Amino acid sequence: MPDLMSSLVFSISNQKGGTGKTTLSVNFAAGLSKRGRTLLLDADPQGSAWQWAGMATEEHTYPASVIRAEDDLQYEINRQRQKHQFIVIDCPPTLETETTWAAMSVSDMVLIPVQPSPIDLWASLRLSSAIGRIRNKVNPELKAFIIVNQVEQRNALSRAMQQALAEFEIPSLKGVLRRRAVYRSTALEGVSVFCYGKRGEAAAEEIDSIIEEVLQK
């Protein structure tokens, strides 16, 4: 069960690689930092979010605090709840670890980025089962939502993808992330889309829209 503090904890998770999990984590946490003190907790053994933020310069510092996950993840999160209004956990790209279970056990919400194809959505079925087990055993209030990522700007979701989303047990957010070069550029410079001014404006609006949507859930 999440600690009964006022802070909100988000797990960004998908056992399938290449879904944009870290990109979402870094930019989501940066957007939340405009609304309150935010911590990005890198629980992925690859440490991509930690390395990303570590590339920031004095001119464009990353706005959220960033730490690597400790062995006792649940204790660390509950300790950090006293210091931050928002905590974002970049989970490992696998379910075969205690870290992912521990993260979702103390989270208020799980956000699942998926590519805009039914095949990629179906690859997330095991995550749906894992969330169900966590709700039944330790965290009955855990919320979960799918975020469709890398949508082509000129194309709507295919009919097959829309049907697959409608049949999936986990609801999807109305907001989506489109395929934009600026998301890749930010990773090279250790910043978020909010640092890119006019160039990052459309991407920043996407992230802000998703944040406003989840905060109302």
Side-chain angles (χ1 to χ4, degrees):
M1 285 285 293
D3 192 291
L4 297 178
M5 302 289 289
S6 59
S7 59
L8 291 174
V9 180
F10 301 89
S11 283
I12 314 296
S13 182
N14 196 321
Q15 79 271 16
K16 185 180 184 300
T19 62
K21 179 177 60 64
T22 297
T23 298
L24 174 60
S25 298
V26 170
N27 286 288
F28 187 74
L32 284 171
S33 69
K34 299 190 303 176
R35 296 159 171 84
R37 190 172 183 184
T38 301
L39 172 70
L40 174 58
L41 200 159
D42 190 345
D44 188 333
Q46 297 179 14
S48 298
W50 169 263
Q51 295 173 23
W52 182 326
M55 295 175 64
T57 64
E58 291 184 4
E59 182 181 0
H60 295 294
T61 57
Y62 184 70
S65 301
V66 185
I67 63 173
R68 297 294 300 272
E70 300 292 339
D71 291 335
D72 192 340
L73 184 63
Q74 294 186 0
Y75 170 80
E76 180 65 25
I77 292 172
N78 283 327
R79 187 174 72 87
Q80 294 294 340
R81 278 179 178 267
Q82 303 173 23
K83 306 175 183 179
H84 299 89
Q85 187 174 350
F86 304 107
I87 299 175
V88 179
I89 309 169
D90 187 16
C91 293
T94 176
L95 297 179
E96 312 305 326
T97 171
E98 294 182 2
T99 302
T100 301
W101 181 277
M104 292 194 290
S105 295
V106 294
S107 290
D108 299 284
M109 185 180 295
V110 180
L111 298 177
I112 308 162
V114 299
Q115 299 282 346
S117 75
I119 293 176
D120 284 272
L121 182 61
W122 295 328
S124 305
L125 284 173
R126 290 180 58 220
L127 184 57
S128 177
S129 300
I131 291 172
R133 292 195 300 273
I134 288 173
R135 284 171 173 163
N136 289 334
K137 293 184 177 181
V138 294
N139 189 358
E141 302 301 321
L142 179 64
K143 300 176 182 178
F145 296 95
I146 291 169
I147 297 177
V148 183
N149 188 24
Q150 297 196 31
V151 177
E152 294 290 348
Q153 294 199 43
R154 296 184 179 180
N155 299 325
L157 294 179
S158 69
R159 182 175 299 178
M161 184 63 177
Q162 291 175 339
Q163 182 178 358
L165 285 169
E167 295 176 354
F168 206 63
E169 293 181 1
I170 299 174
S172 59
L173 295 179
K174 293 180 180 179
V176 301
L177 297 179
R178 299 191 179 277
R179 187 186 297 275
R180 300 183 188 277
V182 68
Y183 286 117
R184 294 189 295 274
S185 299
T186 55
L188 297 175
E189 299 182 26
V191 298
S192 73
V193 294
F194 296 96
C195 295
Y196 263 50
K198 191 70 176 179
R199 184 182 171 193
E201 186 175 285
E205 289 176 355
E206 288 178 349
I207 298 294
D208 272 334
S209 177
I210 287 173
I211 290 174
E212 289 304 312
E213 187 175 355
V214 299
L215 291 181
Q216 294 174 18
K217 297 294 185 181

